[in-house]
Amino acid sequence: MEPVALPLGRPREERADAARNRAHLIDVARQMVEELGADKVTMDGLAERAGLGKGTVFRRFGTRAGIFHALLDEEEKHFQQRVMSGPPPLGPGAPAVERLVAFGRARLDFLLEHTVLARASLDTGQPVPVNDSPSLFHVQMLLGEARPDAAASGTLALQLVAALEGPILLYLQASDDPGAPDPGAVGHDLIASWQVLVESVCQG
Amino acid sequence: MEPVALPLGRPREERADAARNRAHLIDVARQMVEELGADKVTMDGLAERAGLGKGTVFRRFGTRAGIFHALLDEEEKHFQQRVMSGPPPLGPGAPAVERLVAFGRARLDFLLEHTVLARASLDTGQPVPVNDSPSLFHVQMLLGEARPDAAASGTLALQLVAALEGPILLYLQASDDPGAPDPGAVGHDLIASWQVLVESVCQG
């Protein structure tokens, strides 16, 4: 959606403006979530507090869920960095099976730590986006190291990501229910059974 | 939503009427799907062809997706029966690990065979309903036999069901995309990696 060819000088300025606006909106949105809670953050409220037009906020985020998606995206970048170049076992340097176990634990912790953002960023008009999960890349790579025979078709990695993220995302969507179990307990059990799953598959 | 206490005579008649209406609506809806395709089945069209009021159809199914959900439910009953009392390895009598493998294969075949109904019954305003999956009961039971230590918390069964049904449901939701892969090939790969997953976990 960036302009492809415009007179020199002006486009670069506009792109810099857009980047500044984005960073500013993200900062203001983060403050608003901390101060008011995600429930109280609206497109209009964000525009007003950021001193920007509603059109700018709308173009940037599309929907209210888009605001939280952008905030989660910033956190996601830090998470990806820990996997790509942080210390082992999450980062490179440990055996693939240990990295897979660490990855699941860190991913579940990440989603539980950012419960509010993760829930608010789930657009209930959309299916749970497992196929687009950035986890698929890492799981496929690590599984390819640990069990190249079983990883070849790609569907085993897809199934493992669904196993890792499906239950927690559904839990987050449903956790408004009065009977929903405690997130800490759910996380603890999911991490333990993820370890069983991964160790079984990698040793199989 | 059944009446709790009404004068004798009349309620029983009404319930019998309701059951007849339901069976009639299901029959007509099935005919319409076969003749016209699911895309062409509407609440109004179904009411007209069934010779019933729109209100009756609306009360029975709630939404258009509800029609297909009810049709799939009928097929689901046959599937559940095969698991509960059909021949092994899907039915009772085979070792748990073989039954789990057979269950995954049969379940994926079932969802692929009923692709049209399964897709039409997914209300895109709702999350993919893995938690409510009737599969959870069977997988938990069989896993409890094969690996009682790992099955205790219940989250491993939840993860396995997410692994089994998550990718195929997402595939069915996305299979309108022109670049979507062939369902037969997807099914074949998913069945193979489900077998790897289950055999690994049960032997672990």
Side-chain angles (χ1 to χ4, degrees):
Chain A
M1 303 296 278
E2 293 287 292
V4 174
L6 281 176
L8 285 170
R10 191 91 186 113
R12 182 162 300 178
E13 224 173 284
E14 277 179 337
R15 281 198 292 271
D17 263 13
R20 258 197 308 275
N21 277 351
R22 179 186 159 80
H24 177 53
L25 280 169
I26 296 274
D27 276 350
V28 173
R30 191 178 287 122
Q31 280 169 27
M32 288 179 81
V33 170
E34 274 167 28
E35 284 172 30
L36 311 171
D39 287 356
K40 295 281 190 330
V41 178
T42 61
M43 301 281 264
D44 286 356
L46 177 57
E48 197 186 319
R49 181 134 158 196
L52 291 167
K54 288 182 197 176
T56 306
V57 175
F58 185 82
R59 272 195 305 280
R60 177 55 67 192
F61 298 121
T63 62
R64 190 176 164 275
I67 300 172
F68 305 106
H69 203 276
L71 286 176
L72 195 62
D73 225 47
E74 294 291 305
E75 305 297 332
E76 184 78 68
K77 281 179 201 158
H78 296 297
F79 180 81
Q80 298 300 322
Q81 211 137 28
R82 287 167 56 205
V83 181
M84 301 299 279
S85 54
L90 181 57
V97 54
E98 282 176 36
R99 290 193 69 194
L100 272 172
V101 171
F103 180 84
R105 176 190 303 270
R107 190 73 196 159
L108 289 167
D109 279 344
F110 174 83
L111 289 169
L112 284 166
E113 188 186 334
H114 298 291
T115 290
V116 174
L117 287 185
R119 277 181 57 195
S121 76
L122 287 174
D123 193 329
T124 50
Q126 299 293 323
V128 174
V130 170
N131 270 320
D132 295 335
S133 169
S135 301
L136 190 55
F137 170 79
H138 300 294
V139 170
Q140 175 64 28
M141 185 190 69
L142 294 169
L143 192 65
E145 265 184 63
R147 281 213 55 186
D149 59 319
S153 76
T155 49
L156 187 55
L158 199 59
Q159 288 174 330
L160 286 176
V161 171
L164 177 61
E165 306 203 333
I168 194 81
L169 290 176
L170 287 164
Y171 170 75
L172 295 178
Q173 278 188 322
S175 56
D176 266 344
D177 297 351
D182 169 59
V186 171
H188 178 271
D189 287 347
L190 284 171
I191 287 169
S193 53
W194 168 256
Q195 181 162 359
V196 169
L197 202 58
V198 164
E199 288 180 350
S200 303
V201 167
C202 291
Q203 285 151 16
Chain B
M1 303 299 277
E2 293 286 292
V4 175
L6 281 177
L8 285 170
R10 189 90 184 115
R12 180 160 302 176
E13 224 173 283
E14 277 180 338
R15 280 199 293 272
D17 264 12
R20 259 199 306 276
N21 278 350
R22 179 187 159 80
H24 178 52
L25 281 169
I26 294 275
D27 276 349
V28 173
R30 190 179 287 122
Q31 280 168 27
M32 288 179 80
V33 170
E34 272 167 30
E35 284 172 31
L36 310 171
D39 287 356
K40 295 280 190 328
V41 178
T42 61
M43 302 280 264
D44 286 357
L46 176 57
E48 198 187 318
R49 181 134 159 196
L52 291 167
K54 287 182 197 178
T56 306
V57 175
F58 185 82
R59 274 194 304 280
R60 177 55 65 193
F61 298 120
T63 63
R64 190 176 164 275
I67 300 173
F68 306 106
H69 204 277
L71 286 177
L72 195 61
D73 226 47
E74 295 290 306
E75 305 297 332
E76 184 78 69
K77 281 179 200 157
H78 297 297
F79 180 81
Q80 299 299 323
Q81 211 137 28
R82 287 167 57 206
V83 181
M84 301 298 278
S85 55
L90 182 57
V97 55
E98 282 176 35
R99 289 192 70 193
L100 272 171
V101 170
F103 181 83
R105 176 190 303 271
R107 190 73 195 157
L108 289 166
D109 280 344
F110 174 83
L111 289 170
L112 284 166
E113 188 185 334
H114 298 291
T115 291
V116 174
L117 287 185
R119 278 181 56 194
S121 76
L122 287 173
D123 193 330
T124 50
Q126 299 293 322
V128 174
V130 170
N131 270 319
D132 295 336
S133 169
S135 300
L136 190 55
F137 170 80
H138 301 294
V139 170
Q140 175 64 28
M141 184 191 69
L142 294 169
L143 192 65
E145 264 184 63
R147 281 217 49 189
D149 59 321
S153 77
T155 49
L156 187 56
L158 200 59
Q159 288 174 330
L160 285 176
V161 172
L164 177 61
E165 305 203 332
I168 194 81
L169 290 176
L170 287 164
Y171 170 75
L172 295 179
Q173 278 187 322
S175 57
D176 265 343
D177 296 352
D182 169 58
V186 170
H188 179 270
D189 287 348
L190 285 171
I191 288 170
S193 52
W194 168 256
Q195 182 162 358
V196 169
L197 203 57
V198 164
E199 288 181 349
S200 302
V201 167
C202 291
Q203 285 151 16

